[in-house]
C-alpha cells in the first residue's frame, strides 16, 4: 500500500467512510436488511478496518442513531432560530420535509424505522431511542417556553403536554405519508400542528 493510500485510509477517514455508508444503507433499506458484508463492499473497506472501528453491528447501529440524532436536532434547531414566531416555524418545518422528500433526502423517521426493526432486541437501543425522544421533546419545550415568554401564547399553556402533542402530530403525519406516499399528509401536517395551539393563542 502506498503512503498516499495509507494517508487516505487512515484513522478517522476510514471510520467516517464506513459510517457514511452504513447510515445511507440503514436509512434507505433498513437496519435489519443491511449486512456488514454489504457495508464493507460499498464503503470500499476491508473487514479488519470495519471491525477495528465498530466491533459489532450493534455499535455501528448506535453510531448510526447518533448521526441521525445530530442531523435531525440540528435541522430543527436551525429552523427554530430562524423562525421565532411559531406559526412561521410550523410552515417552514412542513416545507423542509416536503423539499427533502422531493429531493429524495427523506425516507421517513429514522428512529421510528429503527425501533420497528429491532423492537426489544437490546435494552441499549431502547434507552438510546428514549433519550433521543426526550431531547427532541425538550427542544420543542424550550422553544415553546420562549414563545410563551414573548407573548405568542397564554401562560396557561401546559408546555410539556403541548410539546408531546407536537411530536405526536409530526410522527403521525410522517408515518401516514410513509405508508401511502401521499404528500397530502405532509402538507396537512401544518393544519394538525396549528390546531394544537389554537386554544393557547394569546388574545
Amino acid at each position: 500500500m502506498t503512503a498516499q493510500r495509507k494517508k487516505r485510509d487512515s484513522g478517522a477517514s476510514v471510520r467516517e467512510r464506513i459510517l457514511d455508508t452504513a447510515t445511507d444503507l440503514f436509512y434507505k433499506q433498513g437496519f435489519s436488511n443491511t449486512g456488514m458484508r454489504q457495508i464493507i463492499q460499498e464503503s470500499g473497506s476491508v473487514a479488519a478496518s470495519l471491525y477495528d472501528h465498530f466491533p459489532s453491528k450493534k455499535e455501528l447501529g448506535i453510531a448510526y442513531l447518533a448521526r441521525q440524532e445530530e442531523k435531525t436536532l440540528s435541522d430543527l434547531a436551525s429552523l427554530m432560530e430562524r423562525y421565532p414566531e411559531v406559526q412561521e416555524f410550523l410552515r417552514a418545518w412542513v416545507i423542509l420535509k416536503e423539499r427533502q422528500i422531493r429531493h429524495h433526502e427523506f425516507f421517513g423517521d429514522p428512529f421510528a424505522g429503527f425501533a420497528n426493526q429491532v423492537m426489544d432486541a437490546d435494552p441499549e437501543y431502547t434507552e438510546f431511542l428514549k433519550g433521543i425522544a426526550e431531547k427532541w421533546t425538550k427542544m420543542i419545550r424550550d422553544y415553546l417556553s420562549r414563545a410563551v415568554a414573548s407573548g405568542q401564547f397564554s401562560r396557561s399553556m401546559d408546555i410539556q403536554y403541548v410539546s408531546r402533542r407536537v411530536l405526536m402530530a409530526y410522527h403521525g403525519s410522517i408515518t401516514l405519508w410513509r405508508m401511502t406516499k401521499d404528500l397530502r399528509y405532509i402538507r396537512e401536517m401544518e393544519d394538525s400542528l396549528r390546531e394544537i395551539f389554537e386554544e393557547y393563542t394569546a388574545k
Side-chain angles (χ1 to χ4, degrees), residues 36-67:
M36 299 293 263
R37 180 176 298 178
Q38 183 183 9
I39 294 170
I40 291 168
Q41 291 175 339
E42 297 201 16
S43 66
S45 304
V46 296
S49 294
L50 186 150
Y51 289 108
D52 182 49
H53 293 285
F54 303 101
S56 68
K57 189 178 180 182
K58 172 184 172 179
E59 292 189 28
L60 190 52
I62 293 294
Y64 160 73
L65 290 175
R67 169 74 69 83

Side-chain angles (χ1 to χ4, degrees), residues 27-132:
Y27 186 45
K28 291 181 179 178
Q29 68 184 36
F31 180 75
S32 60
N33 294 328
T34 303
M36 299 293 263
R37 180 176 298 178
Q38 183 183 9
I39 294 170
I40 291 168
Q41 291 175 339
E42 297 201 16
S43 66
S45 304
V46 296
S49 294
L50 186 150
Y51 289 108
D52 182 49
H53 293 285
F54 303 101
S56 68
K57 189 178 180 182
K58 172 184 172 179
E59 292 189 28
L60 190 52
I62 293 294
Y64 160 73
L65 290 175
R67 169 74 69 83
Q68 292 286 30
E69 175 189 17
E70 180 181 6
K71 182 182 187 307
T72 299
L73 297 185
S74 176
D75 285 348
L76 197 58
S78 295
L79 285 179
M80 289 175 171
E81 183 177 354
R82 185 174 181 182
Y83 300 100
E85 294 291 326
V86 172
Q87 302 301 337
E88 294 180 1
F89 161 74
L90 297 179
R91 181 60 181 153
W93 199 9
V94 171
I95 290 173
L96 173 63
K97 290 296 111 180
E98 185 170 356
R99 184 171 68 244
Q100 289 175 334
I101 289 169
R102 291 189 180 280
H103 291 174
H104 306 289
E105 298 170 353
F106 186 75
F107 300 90
D109 180 67
F111 313 116
F114 190 92
N116 288 337
Q117 292 178 65
V118 302
M119 299 299 287
D120 297 320
D122 192 300
E124 190 172 350
Y125 288 145
T126 303
E127 286 303 308
F128 201 93
L129 289 164
K130 181 180 177 182
I132 292 172

Side-chain angles (χ1 to χ4, degrees), residues 1-40:
M1 182 182 291
T2 65
Q4 184 178 6
R5 173 71 180 278
K6 286 180 180 178
K7 182 177 181 180
R8 186 175 69 246
D9 287 354
S10 64
S13 64
V14 175
R15 185 184 189 281
E16 287 305 302
R17 188 170 72 245
I18 292 169
L19 184 53
D20 286 346
T21 302
T23 296
D24 187 60
L25 293 173
F26 288 163
Y27 186 45
K28 291 181 179 178
Q29 68 184 36
F31 180 75
S32 60
N33 294 328
T34 303
M36 299 293 263
R37 180 176 298 178
Q38 183 183 9
I39 294 170
I40 291 168

